[in-house]
C-alpha cells in the first residue's frame, strides 16, 4: 500500500491512525513529483490518500496546488484507491476510479456550521473523525473487502455525531454503493 498523507492543518492529525501498523510506503507531505514517481514504481499497489482536497484532487501542504489530480488518472485507474478528503467521490467518478471515497468530510466547526451541522464544536468533530480513522485502520488491517466498508462503517457509526458522507464501489462497473451519515441536525442532499 502507498499512503499519501498531506497533514496541512491541525484537523488532519487524526488521519495518522488510518495507516498505523500497516506495512506501507508513506509519503508524508509529499511534492507532486514524489507521488508520481512512487505511483510509477508500484503500479499495482493500493493507494490511500488522506488530507484536504476538492473534487479536483488532494491538496498539497500549502493548499495551493494538488499532489493528486486529474492529470494522474492514467496512474490511478488500474489500482484500488482509498480517498479520504472532501469530495473525493466526485474526483473518483470523473476519473472512473475504483475503491472507497468520502464525499463531504467535515473536519472542523466552520465546515459543520456551513453544512447545517450546528452545535458541534471542534473537539466533538475531532473525536468522531478519530473514531472514523480508527475504524478505517481496522478494516485495512483485517483485510476486509472494500465493498463491505460502507455497510460496516454505517453500522458502527454514532449517527448522532458523524459528519461524513461515504461512497464505495467499483465505479468503472457502474456499481456504486452510497450511504449517508449525517449529524442529527444536518440536511439531506
Amino acid at each position: 500500500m502507498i499512503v499519501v498523507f498531506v497533514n496541512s492543518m491541525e484537523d488532519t492529525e487524526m488521519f495518522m491512525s488510518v495507516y498505523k501498523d500497516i506495512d506501507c510506503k508513506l509519503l508524508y507531505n509529499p511534492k507532486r513529483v514524489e507521488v508520481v514517481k512512487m505511483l510509477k514504481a508500484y503500479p499495482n499497489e493500493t493507494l490511500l490518500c488522506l488530507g484536504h482536497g476538492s473534487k479536483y484532487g488532494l491538496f498539497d501542504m500549502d493548499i495551493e496546488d494538488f499532489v493528486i489530480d486529474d492529470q494522474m488518472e492514467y496512474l490511478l485507474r488500474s489500482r484500488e484507491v482509498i480517498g479520504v478528503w472532501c469530495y473525493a467521490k466526485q474526483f473518483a467518478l470523473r476519473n472512473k476510479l475504483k475503491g472507497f471515497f468520502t464525499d463531504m468530510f467535515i473536519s472542523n466547526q466552520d465546515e459543520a456550521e456551513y453544512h447545517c451541522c450546528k452545535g458541534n464544536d471542534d473537539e466533538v468533530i475531532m473525536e468522531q473523525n478519530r473514531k472514523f480513522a480508527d475504524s478505517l485502520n481496522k478494516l485495512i488491517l483485517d483485510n476486509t473487502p472494500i465493498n463491505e466498508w460502507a455497510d460496516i462503517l454505517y453500522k458502527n457509526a454514532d449517527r448522532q455525531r458523524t459528519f461524513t458522507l461515504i461512497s464505495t464501489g467499483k465505479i468503472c462497473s457502474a456499481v456504486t454503493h452510497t450511504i449517508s451519515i449525517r449529524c442529527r441536525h444536518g440536511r439531506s442532499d
Side-chain angles (χ1 to χ4, degrees), residues 87 89 103-104 106 112 114-118 154 159 162 164-165 178-189:
Y87 305 113
K89 175 188 169 190
D103 203 332
M104 182 58 208
I106 293 174
Y114 179 79
H115 291 281
C116 300
C117 296
K118 298 183 186 335
Y154 184 77
R159 286 170 195 75
T162 300
T164 310
L165 179 63
T178 303
I179 60 169
S180 296
I181 306 172
R182 293 290 187 177
C183 62
R184 64 183 154 181
H185 301 296
R187 63 174 191 238
S188 293
D189 291 325

Side-chain angles (χ1 to χ4, degrees), residues 20-72:
K20 181 181 178 203
D21 299 325
I22 294 173
D23 182 25
C24 65
K25 297 156 193 67
L26 175 63
L27 294 172
Y28 183 83
N29 289 334
K31 300 288 184 203
R32 179 188 172 82
V33 67
E34 296 170 305
V35 175
V36 169
K37 184 177 178 181
M38 182 71 75
L39 293 175
K40 285 181 178 179
Y42 299 95
N44 299 314
E45 290 280 335
T46 297
L47 175 64
L48 169 60
C49 302
L50 305 160
H52 283 285
S54 75
K55 64 183 179 179
Y56 301 108
L58 181 66
F59 290 132
D60 66 9
M61 188 171 158
D62 299 320
I63 310 182
E64 294 176 359
D65 204 356
F66 297 96
V67 293
I68 302 281
D69 65 12
D70 292 338
Q71 294 175 4
M72 301 165 97

